[in-house]
Amino acid sequence: MPLNKFTSIYLIFVGILIGLVSLLTVIFPDKQLFIPNFWLMFGFLAGITYIAYILVDIGVKKDPEIGVMAIMASIAIKMIFCMAFVLIYSIKVKGIGLIFILNFFSTYLLFSAFEIYCLLRNLRHQNLK
């Protein structure tokens, strides 16, 4: 999948997630479903996922033999940056609890699932060649 096609599909996915979060805050106005800095966390995860996909795309285009290593490296880099984000956020904001854990991991899993789906589509197209 070319990078411009991924970017357009990714922006649609991010827009759907933003709409879903906005809809949940409207449907449940009296419940605290999201942390106060949710959009900071959302932007961080969206950005790091996009950067990880770009790194994989560069690695696969450079040498298909190194493509698997590029995928593993991008997943490892993404995980390290996410662990650093959780560490820094937990130091800055005292008393993070279940809401932060649910917000972070659900958002992380959604972005990771989307990234893996797109990577598998790339690998499927390579097998057809």
Side-chain angles (χ1 to χ4, degrees):
M1 174 183 325
L3 189 58
N4 57 358
K5 185 175 181 183
F6 172 77
T7 302
S8 62
I9 294 171
Y10 186 69
L11 290 176
I12 291 169
F13 177 72
V14 169
I16 290 170
L17 288 181
I18 289 171
L20 184 64
V21 169
S22 300
L23 183 68
L24 286 173
T25 56
V26 170
I27 292 174
F28 302 106
D30 54 339
K31 304 269 187 190
Q32 183 185 3
L33 298 176
F34 303 102
I35 59 173
N37 294 327
F38 176 78
W39 295 113
L40 173 70
M41 180 186 67
F42 185 86
F44 172 79
L45 287 171
I48 198 75
T49 301
Y50 189 74
I51 291 170
Y53 185 84
I54 289 173
L55 291 175
V56 169
D57 191 51
I58 291 170
V60 169
K61 284 181 181 175
K62 196 172 208 178
D63 185 10
E65 297 288 327
I66 302 176
V68 174
M69 296 300 283
I71 291 170
M72 298 303 282
S74 74
I75 291 171
I77 289 170
K78 182 179 174 184
M79 189 177 294
I80 289 170
F81 276 105
C82 286
M83 287 190 308
F85 179 84
V86 170
L87 177 68
I88 292 169
Y89 189 85
S90 64
I91 290 171
K92 293 281 186 184
V93 178
K94 299 296 179 195
I96 63 170
L98 185 63
I99 295 174
F100 174 75
I101 293 169
L102 290 174
N103 286 173
F104 183 82
F105 284 113
S106 62
T107 310
Y108 179 83
L109 287 174
L110 284 170
F111 279 115
S112 294
F114 181 79
E115 179 185 8
I116 290 169
Y117 171 75
C118 291
L119 290 173
L120 287 175
R121 284 190 63 195
N122 279 348
L123 293 175
R124 187 177 326 137
H125 289 299
Q126 283 183 352
N127 287 339
L128 295 176
K129 291 181 181 177

